[in-house]
Amino acid sequence: MEKLAELSHLFVTVFLSSFASLMVIPAITDVTMSAVCPGKDECSLAIYLSGFQQAIIGLGTVVMMPLIGNLSDQYGRKALLTLPMTLSVIPLVILAYSRTTTFFYAYYLLRTLTAMICEGSINCLALAYVADNVLERQRTSAFGILSGIATAAFVCGTLAARFLSTASTFQVAALVSMLAAVYMRIFLRESLPNGENLTRPILKSGQDGHCQDDGNLSGLAPVLKKIPSIQDITGLLKSSVTFSQAAVVAFFNSIAEGGMQASIMYYLKARFHFSKNQYADLMLLLGIAGMASQLVFMPLLAQLVAEEKLLAIGLLGGIADALLFSVAWSNWVMLQLNSIFPCILLLQKTFLFFLSLC
């Protein structure tokens, strides 16, 4: 418990950052539709733009995430957290100022560029920070608490968006995002990988010829020489069966989730004429159920059920969720789905992280 108490500043940082980034989700669909297809509830261009943006962000993330992770191993988690948390403020400030078509496309461009660095990196660096400071036997519970705090931020952000106007939503999100970056810089203690908490390294320095002299490199050696190459990543996938299996599962799961995320909001607007407040109501159910799952049930189940079984349950829940969404015929069906499946889906996501890091 002492170790978890030491992570309080990280938890506050993650809460504020997640609050800012997630509270704009109920409003962004209406903003996009108003800018791209004003006066319409159906717009193929908006879906294509969202899908294209996700594809570009995904490709950029493939390149940037190993780089950010490697740099954080050398310079610290806090130092690298500063970059994505600062960049994530810029797109929010644009829409906080104006949501006209011109400003929307400026937001779209900058969001695409900054998300290559920001998308997922804050969560991954936070998980790495936890792994640096918590013993291996306690990590499952710590990851569950961290995920629960992010879900609590999701609930609070969605609740705030429910009662704020669209303009105020983006203004508050920009302000809280700035506060998160400042709080992190002032209060969060720097953290570097701690060998005492590792049972074995993921990448062994003597694994191949070009890595054997790594220990002789001076501290002033160029950073790029230590960035994992394609051969390093391939070697990692081959050397760890657990990691390679988790990577395959995460890859196909991400494809399915990407398709859902790119279209689900527009699907709800076209079929049920959803607006910002209705999106917020639906997401509140999702967040409350997920928060209870991650903060209460997840730490308990992690001690009783094997991670692989929980991951399998989560994947099956994701399949059922997508199938039932596709045949939903009324608003109440959507509400029922979002009160039943969040617990299962969030178990799946947490253990995809757990299997890849531990």
Side-chain angles (χ1 to χ4, degrees):
M1 294 303 294
E2 293 180 2
K3 288 288 188 181
L4 293 178
E6 293 175 1
L7 299 174
S8 58
H9 291 310
L10 175 70
F11 293 154
V12 173
T13 299
V14 170
F15 179 87
L16 292 175
S17 176
S18 300
F19 180 94
S21 62
L22 295 173
M23 76 175 295
V24 302
I25 295 178
I28 192 63
T29 302
D30 286 342
V31 171
T32 302
M33 294 291 290
S34 297
V36 177
C37 299
K40 297 182 179 179
D41 282 342
E42 297 185 32
C43 183
S44 298
L45 178 59
I47 299 176
Y48 294 146
L49 286 174
S50 297
F52 177 77
Q53 185 182 57
Q54 286 196 359
I56 296 300
I57 291 172
L59 292 174
T61 301
V62 169
V63 177
M64 295 304 302
M65 286 297 289
L67 174 60
I68 291 173
N70 186 266
L71 291 174
S72 74
D73 288 341
Q74 299 175 58
Y75 298 106
R77 313 303 186 194
K78 177 180 177 179
L80 267 294
L81 268 171
T82 304
L83 179 61
M85 293 190 70
T86 302
L87 291 177
S88 63
V89 175
I90 301 173
L92 295 175
V93 170
I94 293 174
L95 289 187
Y97 180 76
S98 177
R99 287 152 304 284
T100 61
T101 301
T102 302
F103 280 92
F104 170 77
Y105 280 111
Y107 159 84
Y108 179 86
L109 177 61
L110 288 174
R111 160 71 180 159
T112 303
L113 295 175
T114 57
M116 293 180 187
I117 299 173
C118 304
E119 191 82 14
S121 61
I122 295 176
N123 289 335
C124 288
L125 289 172
L127 288 166
Y129 192 102
V130 170
D132 294 341
N133 293 278
V134 176
L135 297 176
E136 184 174 354
R137 64 178 178 273
Q138 299 175 330
R139 286 181 191 167
T140 305
S141 296
F143 290 162
I145 292 172
L146 183 65
S147 184
I149 288 171
T151 307
F154 175 82
V155 172
C156 294
T158 303
L159 187 62
R162 176 65 177 81
F163 296 103
L164 292 173
S165 66
T166 300
S168 297
T169 297
F170 286 99
Q171 291 164 1
V172 171
L175 182 62
V176 174
S177 185
M178 295 177 193
L179 178 62
V182 172
Y183 183 94
M184 183 271 297
R185 289 302 306 170
I186 294 175
F187 294 105
L188 189 65
R189 180 173 55 85
E190 185 59 274
S191 175
L192 287 165
N194 185 359
E196 295 179 0
N197 288 339
L198 297 176
T199 56
R200 59 179 180 180
I202 295 178
L203 279 174
K204 299 180 176 62
S205 59
Q207 206 166 357
D208 24 58
H210 66 277
C211 295
Q212 290 177 352
D213 295 329
D214 185 65
N216 297 325
L217 291 175
S218 66
L220 299 177
V223 174
L224 291 177
K225 291 185 178 180
K226 291 191 174 184
I227 296 174
S229 63
I230 298 297
Q231 291 77 11
D232 293 328
I233 297 173
T234 304
L236 171 60
L237 292 173
K238 291 181 178 179
S239 64
S240 173
V241 176
T242 301
F243 184 87
S244 60
Q245 291 175 341
V248 172
V249 172
F251 174 77
F252 286 106
N253 182 68
S254 296
I255 292 177
E257 283 195 349
M260 284 280 287
Q261 291 172 4
S263 60
I264 186 65
M265 305 292 265
Y266 302 104
Y267 166 77
L268 294 176
K269 190 169 188 66
R271 185 159 185 175
F272 303 113
H273 308 289
F274 270 34
S275 62
K276 176 180 75 71
N277 291 343
Q278 290 171 304
Y279 287 131
D281 292 337
L282 196 63
M283 291 166 64
L284 275 174
L285 286 175
L286 171 67
I288 291 171
M291 183 172 60
S293 170
Q294 296 295 63
L295 292 178
V296 179
F297 299 113
M298 170 74 174
L300 297 176
L301 289 176
Q303 302 175 13
L304 302 174
V305 182
E307 294 87 1
E308 294 82 356
K309 292 182 180 179
L310 287 176
L311 178 59
I313 293 171
L315 291 170
L316 289 174
I319 295 170
D321 183 56
L323 287 175
L324 291 175
F325 261 97
S326 67
V327 297
W329 59 91
S330 178
N331 287 356
W332 71 266
V333 179
M334 316 301 294
L335 297 176
Q336 289 295 325
L337 289 176
N338 279 275
S339 63
I340 295 173
F341 286 102
C343 303
I344 299 175
L345 298 177
L346 288 170
L347 286 175
Q348 162 204 342
K349 292 181 180 180
T350 299
F351 279 104
L352 282 173
F353 278 122
F354 177 79
L355 289 174
S356 63
L357 291 176
C358 299

